[in-house]
Amino acid sequence: MYSYDQYDQAMVDARVAEFRDQAQRRIDGKLSEDQFKPLRLMNGLYLQLHAYMLRVAIPYGTLNGRQMHALADIADKYDRGYGHFTTRQNIQYNWIKLEDAGDILADLAAVEMHAIQTSGNCIRNISSDHFAGAAQDELVDPRPYAELLRQWSSFHPEFMYLPRKFKIAVIASDTDRAAMRLHDIGIQIVKNEAGELGASFYVGGGMGRTPMIAPNIRSFVPLDQLITYSEACLRVYNRYGRRDNKYKARIKILVHELGAEEYTRQVEEEFAHLLQQGIEPPIAELERIRTFFEDPAFEDGPKTIDRSDPDFALWVDRNTHRHKHDSYVSAVVSLKPVGGIPGDATAEQMHLMAELAEQYSFDELRVMHTQNVVLPHVKIADLHALWTKLDAAGLGTPNLDQIGDIIACPGLDYCSLANARSIPLSQKISERFAANGKQDILGELKLKISGCINACGHHHAGHIGILGVDKKGVENYQLSLGGSEAEDTALGKITGRGFDEAGVIDAVETVTDVYLAQKQGEERFLDTYNRIGMAPFKEALYD
Amino acid sequence: MNILTGNDLKTGAVVWWDGNNWSLNIEDAVDVGDDAEAIMAREEQSRRVNVPYAVAATLTDGVPRPDHIKDRVRGLGPTVRPDLTLKPDDPSAITEII
Amino acid sequence: MTNLIRLRDDAPVNDPVADFEACCDQSNATAVRIEPGDDARALLPFLDRLNLVEVNFPAFGDGRGYSAARILREAGFTGEIRAVGDVLVDQVNNMKRCGFDAFAPDAPLDADDLETALNRWPEDYQAAADASTPIWNKRHE
Ligand code: HEM
Ligand code: SF4
């Protein structure tokens, strides 16, 4: 994986010094909260329901054991012994003190990490495929392109005060594991007919209150123009994105209002101009970055497991993913124990994951947008030993992509913008479906919960989505069906009137019962929904 | 009644206006009546509190109970981590605020 | 102007400042002020006669002026580009990178803080309107 040279380190160190100084000026009263807020947000520091919250960037979700250990140490030293992994492959701490923030950033910088641009109206952490560099189906490893974009977007002088936040995802396979088309810019690395690599640009996707799927605006940008093209996309947005209404400020609204064709025309015009400016990094830089992502030394070994322990076999079937080397798999560490808090990990669990990565996965971990953690390169021969240790630490729940593998935002338990709690709902649903045994027969079913319309929990993209709404001060929940954030990206449709907490849990069960009754052959929930439509579900829910 | 809350500037802790100072306990919150704006402006200016706001509440068993669930959660802590709330030893505290 | 900070050596431009529309209409203005919504490219035909472009920031969070300054520099404008309005000390370095070389903030900037801010960054990752060599070029020199 990528490691800093003296330049990267100098930039991150300078940022620590800058933020220390900014925080001190705030404490001394030289900065008002209005002036300080954008500065702290650009360093990932929010003020939440109970305390300050710090969001630490995990660029394209990749980290090593030492970094995971450092995240655990921060949880112990400055927080309350745990952290929350997010849908944008980052980690959040919920109980941070402003006076400690500088020290935390310094601790992060010591392990080549930071919180730069993890919030604010700027280009955020670049996300990617959590199986990058390991997946059997990828064209190339997408992360070198994500790293190049990380460097380009860090402290970009023109794009620090965009109309709104800006999220980029990069993938390099036809299977989309990063919700690419639900980002402001989604990039897929592709090959053209001449066999050259390039970038296909999707612009103007997003969730929030007006979810949109990004249209493709250019199917091939040569790699030696990647940054220039990105710059053109951003400049048109910075100049013409709406600033009169925060809810209409995302690039999706600009692309929607102009039309994809007109937006593309403006981008192409700006691109032609910027090509004359010589802003593209030398292609040697991309080559240099690529060397950090070369395959580790894979060895041949056993290609099958001993299935005599059914619990182990089930975990392997559900929580491992096919690797490009047939003696390896990618193993998913579930942060979704039955009844647990999705995405939360204790300091001890983080230390353990770090050790297991060092021991079994070439010192590499990934954070998934589904709030789990991946050990990308595990020898099939080591799986049993790995599973035994995970299981003992409560990290071996065999539920990847099952109804218990719920994405849930922090909701009203932590978030000041929330209408309703998301976490308790996810806990009760996972308990219900584990207890009644239905989880095991439902197969792939992606359930996603957001505590308000901002959609941090990706509810629009859930096969089943739940949205918390405020009904005269009482928590209420809307149900939606049919969303997807994979290559068949789709936005869910609301079933009808909302439910209280107990009601929505029953409603989820009702909906799954309709599926089980109507399912044909190997159909997943989503397939059945797409075939039979909303009506049978509505009927079961409301008649 | 009208009570005031905000966060401590340096620590971020949730605080409530007790008439003279900012307390960690919502039980100490006092009715500020029509003085909310004046107190908040003064206290924010002197940096004794960060982003204060007024909360409508009802006195219940002698204790202010915010009318909105969000501020009740604020007054106690995350309902999913009783161990991290202000009343880790009182299992009924959570059901009372929901 | 008391709050004027200049990063260039020539004498400050004190020409009367026309607004954007007047500048585009009347052909003799030598200084102009543009607002966030104005298209900086509309000034390109007149750059030869302009000594000063003031870019107004009515609110510090509106970043359109950064693009405006870069566009002017990319077109070869060498006159003064002055950021006016709600300009904060934590922003001046990025403004400088985008081509601003003078600042007239509504609220005066603390001299020490300004000095620190302008010298904060040892390097720059990307190319912009200043003469800085990006890190990724230095790596391959
Ligand atoms: C607790 C503090 C948080 C706050 C205040 C917050 C705030 C917001 C807001 C205001 C939006 C809507 C932006 C828009 O539509 O323009 C948003 C979207 C989003 N947030 Fe959060 N969020 C928080 C936590 C999280 C967490 C924990 C995650 C990951 C689990 C997350 C992931 C996202 C995602 C994926 C979106 C949708 C992006 C899009 O609209 O394209 N956020 N957030
Ligand atoms: S979806 Fe709403 S409630 Fe959930 S974290 Fe985002 S802003 Fe908060």
Side-chain angles (χ1 to χ4, degrees), chain C residues 26-50:
Chain C
Q26 84 187 43
S27 59
N28 56 355
T30 55
V32 61
R33 170 181 292 215
I34 62 175
E35 299 296 328
D38 296 336
D39 177 8
R41 288 207 162 99
L43 294 178
L44 299 190
F46 318 117
L47 288 186
D48 284 347
R49 65 167 151 88
L50 289 174

Side-chain angles (χ1 to χ4, degrees), chain A residues 409-411 415 417-418 450-452 454-457:
Chain A
C409 79
C415 177
L417 304 176
S450 303
C452 80
N454 287 322
C456 303

Side-chain angles (χ1 to χ4, degrees), chain A residues 41 46-49 53 55 84-92 94 119 121 124 164-165 167 182-184 205-212 246-250 252 342 369 371 407-411 414-418 449-450 452-458 460 485:
Chain A
L41 288 179
Y46 285 76
L47 190 55
Q48 273 311 309
L49 200 57
M53 173 202 100
R55 182 181 292 157
H84 178 74
F85 289 97
T86 79
T87 44
R88 294 213 73 254
Q89 302 178 295
N90 294 324
I91 183 170
Q92 293 181 178
N94 293 304
S119 180
N121 294 334
R124 305 282 191 89
R164 202 74 182 84
K165 56 165 104 171
K167 305 180 180 183
L182 294 170
H183 282 73
D184 298 281
M207 290 186 249
R209 72 185 58 216
T210 338
M212 288 189 191
K246 152 175 171 180
Y247 301 120
K248 301 198 165 163
R250 295 287 293 269
K252 62 191 172 190
H369 83 265
Q371 304 179 284
I407 292 183
C409 79
Y414 291 101
C415 177
S416 48
L417 304 176
I449 309 174
S450 303
C452 80
I453 193 63
N454 287 322
C456 303
H458 290 191
H460 298 297
E485 57 191 359

Side-chain angles (χ1 to χ4, degrees), chain A residues 228-247:
Chain A
T228 309
Y229 199 80
S230 305
E231 189 123 347
C233 292
L234 264 294
R235 180 175 282 176
V236 172
Y237 171 55
N238 191 43
R239 299 186 74 207
Y240 299 111
R242 286 181 64 172
R243 293 179 188 258
D244 58 327
N245 178 343
K246 152 175 171 180
Y247 301 120

Side-chain angles (χ1 to χ4, degrees), chain C residues 98-114:
Chain C
C98 288
F100 288 96
D101 51 11
F103 307 94
D106 288 343
L109 305 183
D110 177 297
D112 290 343
D113 290 345
L114 177 69

